[in-house]
Amino acid sequence: APSAAPSPALQGRHVLVTAGGTREPLDPVRFLGNRSSGRQGTALAAAVAARGAQVTLVHAHVEQAVLDTLPGTVRVLEAGTAVDMERVVRQEARDADVVVMAAAVADMRPASVSATKLKKSLPQPEDGKPAGLTTVELVENPDILAGLVSDPPRPGQLLVGFAAETGDSHQDALAHGTAKARRKGAHLLAVNVVGESLGFGDVPNAVVVLDHQGHEVTRARGTKAQVAEALVDLVVQCLPAGGR
Ligand code: CTP
Ligand code: CA
């Protein structure tokens, strides 16, 4: 049963949650983005706050209507790009007992951001390099979660990642999740198996939670609120006793 009552293990604990999808600007009017609505991360922030934790949500482009579902006690900060989010998360994580990276952070960003709107056709430059919008050069963004694992801002903090996976011609979705859990090294990785209409948007959700060795810890399915409750239960179990 969902437990809205405060959990002693969460009383006074600081929990940092990220949500939404970063947008990486190309020019003043365009960006590279993704389909994350931020609903799962927002539901988690609400669920953990309802259990008595002190919650900070760092969000990238989560609609106001979604943010409005949060209790007033949640501190809400904005970070629109991966680089912004890395800075805000590194800062806020110094004081967090738990960090849940539910945001979809863009892996790449445009190598340069044009100060003026790019045009679909530009005169071909002499060096033969493509101009305008036919080719966009990308550079890798920082991996925020990997950085928290390798260089923890607060020793002993619990790190939780999320991964949306699909099967492909090499492996099924869960096998990708298992490999990622080992590679990422977070304490927990919630793997969301993305089906045709499952996973994104305001639809029921299914996650398999793996530990850092890729072993299954638990499964949860249902609404994003139900999945959030199950994940908060797990966080409570994983927190060392004793408080701050
Ligand atoms: N993540 C992050 N910083 C990034 C990319 C991802 O912190 N630059 C975090 C996400 O918030 C999520 C976890 O890492 O909690 C897994 O993200 P995912 O995109 O599934 O993993 P990647 O290692 O980027 O692998 P993939 O090639 O499948 O995108
Ligand atoms: Ca990624």
Side-chain angles (χ1 to χ4, degrees):
S3 32
S7 297
L10 286 173
Q11 290 300 309
R13 298 276 197 169
H14 291 211
V15 178
L16 176 62
V17 180
T18 67
T22 68
R23 293 180 181 176
E24 310 298 324
L26 262 167
D27 70 13
V29 298
R30 300 185 182 90
F31 58 82
L32 302 180
N34 62 70
R35 292 180 181 280
S36 176
S37 67
R39 285 183 172 85
Q40 185 66 75
T42 303
L44 258 160
V48 78
R51 304 273 193 105
Q54 207 169 304
V55 181
T56 299
L57 179 73
V58 178
H59 82 93
H61 307 284
V62 176
E63 308 181 19
Q64 191 58 45
V66 174
L67 296 176
D68 284 344
T69 64
L70 288 166
T73 53
V74 174
R75 195 165 145 252
V76 178
L77 304 175
E78 207 179 335
T81 67
V83 167
D84 286 348
M85 189 169 276
E86 185 196 38
R87 179 175 39 78
V88 177
V89 167
R90 292 280 334 167
Q91 169 68 34
E92 296 297 319
R94 289 159 55 180
D95 190 40
D97 300 294
V98 183
V99 181
V100 182
M101 285 293 303
V105 183
D107 295 314
M108 303 281 167
R109 66 177 180 278
S112 62
V113 182
S114 175
T116 54
K117 188 186 167 191
L118 297 167
K119 298 311 237 177
K120 70 179 162 190
S121 54
L122 281 178
Q124 205 55 38
E126 305 220 326
D127 63 4
K129 268 191 164 182
L133 287 164
T134 50
T135 304
V136 175
E137 198 187 324
L138 302 176
V139 293
E140 215 169 321
N141 273 328
D143 188 325
I144 304 167
L145 182 59
L148 296 176
V149 171
S150 62
D151 181 17
R154 182 186 176 95
Q157 79 190 161
L158 185 68
L159 300 173
V160 183
F162 268 81
E165 298 288 349
T166 63
D168 57 27
S169 55
H170 302 287
Q171 294 182 99
D172 65 21
L174 192 53
H176 280 294
T178 304
K180 186 172 290 181
R182 295 198 188 115
R183 188 172 70 237
K184 286 271 177 183
H187 299 101
L188 299 170
L189 184 72
V191 180
N192 191 340
V193 175
V194 181
E196 302 219 320
S197 65
L198 207 74
F200 286 116
D202 192 10
V203 292
N205 225 5
V207 300
V208 181
V209 186
L210 306 175
D211 67 15
H212 71 280
Q213 296 177 307
H215 296 134
E216 185 173 326
V217 181
T218 191
R219 283 177 186 240
R221 67 184 308 134
T223 63
K224 287 184 176 176
Q226 288 168 325
V227 169
E229 288 299 337
L231 290 171
V232 178
D233 284 339
L234 193 58
V235 164
V236 167
Q237 284 173 37
C238 292
L239 271 177
R244 295 171 70 85

